[in-house]
Amino acid sequence: MFRTQSLALMMMIVAWGDLVAQDNHKMTKADVEKQIEELTNWGRWGKDDQLGTLNLITPEKRVQAAQLVKKGISVSLARDVEKEKALDNPSAFKHEMLNFGRGTQGVWATDNFSVDYHGFAHTHMDSLCHLFYKGKLYNGFSREKIGPQGAEVLSIRNVKQGIFTRGILFDIAALRGVRFLEPGTPIYPEDLDAWEKHARVKVSSGDVIFISTGRWARRELNGPWSVEKEGAAGLHASCAKWLKDRDIAMLGSDGASDVIPSGIDGIDFPVHLLTLHAMGIHIFDNCDLTALSQTADKLKQWEFLLTASPLAVPGGTGSPLNPIATF
């Protein structure tokens, strides 16, 4: 009985803390637009820059990241492709066999892939041309630079050399003592501070951080759900300054990084807006961080070498890909 009462009291304290945090971090559209100006990296690496915060992954940073590999254990951060339509996957991955070794011409097995990867199902990377606001892309490029043939600037082709830097897992579900966060649960800067303290790791310039909400564990237990209707756990817009202060190179998550709904009238994806548009931070969406979380917990090591290689598509707004964490 005492244990039950203690658990109930703890849940009440957590709920009260969430209410206080919500009140402390209330933001409006005007607040977000003010942050666009305050947190901007436009011009930081020159008026023609198209890499944004990937500039922070210096040769020295790559060497430091390589030195994190001690055990030779690699873990994929990619979700297996979703070939079946679902509430969170209206555009299923299409896998068509062209030849499969049958008949008189059966010598080779060949196939064709097709995927509408932006959305909430497929692991992918957003390039900086993926989002524009008030007619502008990152660094002031005009939205007119994007047309029927693709993006003339800020395309995923700029990242052909790949990502090679330190990655850090932020397991916010574990921090809160749950298997997963419920849809619509916001993550605040205080949560990010608390995880740094818990994991005894400090984010530094050029790092890539991954936010784990336990999204795929919830899907496995309860089945797919409509993110548009029911929401998704993720970062509150108030985390943007924290990301800028740490000078991260990239942001990743097991969802879309943003908490959905955003709680800000007139701005549906403020974290996407402030990262892609204002700060020039590329994003990894829909990573499967389950194996990473298990491995990191087993090793008690939340930092790792991150490698990722998007497809070299001139004009592309992003790319499906398979990020790898190596310990």
Side-chain angles (χ1 to χ4, degrees):
M1 181 177 178
F2 175 76
R3 185 177 179 181
T4 302
Q5 290 175 338
S6 297
L7 180 60
L9 178 61
M10 183 178 72
M11 293 177 67
M12 289 175 63
I13 292 173
V14 170
W16 172 254
D18 288 343
L19 289 173
V20 172
Q22 290 174 23
D23 188 61
N24 289 340
H25 294 293
K26 282 183 178 179
M27 293 179 66
T28 65
K29 181 179 180 180
D31 293 326
V32 174
E33 292 187 331
K34 183 179 179 182
Q35 284 202 329
I36 291 175
E37 299 298 324
E38 293 176 345
L39 304 180
T40 183
N41 278 324
W42 291 18
R44 179 177 175 181
W45 295 283
K47 63 181 180 65
D48 297 321
D49 173 58
Q50 298 189 42
L51 288 179
T53 51
L54 292 182
N55 284 291
L56 299 170
I57 305 177
T58 62
E60 294 77 16
K61 185 71 179 183
R62 294 187 183 97
V63 171
Q64 291 171 4
Q67 293 171 353
L68 292 172
V69 179
K70 305 295 184 183
K71 299 183 181 299
I73 298 173
S74 289
V75 181
S76 170
L77 312 187
R79 179 78 176 170
D80 286 355
V81 298
E82 299 284 348
K83 294 184 179 182
E84 302 295 329
K85 285 188 176 183
L87 290 173
D88 56 357
N89 184 28
S91 299
F93 186 98
K94 296 178 181 178
H95 179 201
E96 177 189 8
M97 293 300 297
L98 303 178
N99 296 291
F100 43 94
R102 306 290 172 81
T104 57
Q105 298 182 6
V107 179
W108 308 105
T110 61
D111 49 9
N112 180 70
F113 299 154
S114 177
V115 57
D116 177 5
Y117 58 87
H118 286 298
F120 299 103
H122 309 292
T123 304
H124 68 273
M125 177 176 173
D126 289 342
S127 193
L128 298 182
C129 63
H130 179 48
L131 183 149
F132 41 78
Y133 189 68
K134 295 187 175 179
K136 296 291 184 180
L137 298 157
Y138 164 73
N139 218 16
F141 290 107
S142 170
R143 67 176 294 174
E144 299 302 321
K145 292 291 186 179
I146 302 178
Q149 303 306 312
E152 297 177 30
V153 294
L154 304 173
S155 83
I156 198 65
R157 167 62 177 75
N158 293 325
V159 197
K160 183 178 180 179
Q161 305 309 319
I163 311 297
F164 189 106
T165 190
R166 181 171 80 146
I168 301 176
L169 174 65
F170 279 64
D171 196 337
I172 305 302
L175 178 68
R176 296 193 178 187
V178 296
R179 186 179 175 191
F180 50 79
L181 303 182
E182 290 294 344
T185 301
I187 297 167
Y188 296 106
E190 291 85 353
D191 295 304
L192 304 181
D193 288 333
W195 180 259
E196 280 189 321
K197 183 177 180 180
H198 169 80
R200 297 181 180 179
V201 62
K202 186 77 171 181
V203 177
S204 61
S205 178
D207 289 340
V208 177
I209 68 170
F210 291 89
I211 309 297
S212 177
T213 69
R215 179 249 180 117
W216 299 111
R218 186 183 192 276
R219 191 181 193 270
E220 180 181 357
L221 182 66
N222 298 331
W225 71 92
S226 171
V227 176
E228 293 181 354
K229 293 181 179 179
E230 299 183 45
L235 297 179
H236 185 264
S238 58
C239 291
K241 185 179 185 302
W242 192 99
L243 302 177
K244 177 64 183 292
D245 289 344
R246 294 298 193 277
D247 227 7
I248 66 168
M250 282 192 66
L251 173 65
S253 77
D254 53 9
S257 289
D258 279 273
V259 63
I260 303 172
S262 69
I264 301 173
D265 290 338
I267 304 286
D268 289 333
F269 291 87
V271 173
H272 266 68
L273 173 60
L274 291 166
T275 51
L276 293 173
H277 174 76
M279 292 185 276
I281 298 174
H282 293 72
I283 296 177
F284 291 124
D285 283 333
N286 306 319
C287 296
D288 191 335
L289 304 177
T290 307
L292 176 62
S293 178
Q294 293 169 348
T295 303
D297 183 59
K298 180 180 179 180
L299 299 176
K300 300 305 177 187
Q301 179 181 333
W302 310 99
E303 60 177 353
F304 45 85
L305 168 65
L306 172 74
T307 55
S309 301
L311 299 175
V313 181
T317 64
S319 172
L321 80 176
N322 179 18
I324 302 291
T326 303
F327 294 86

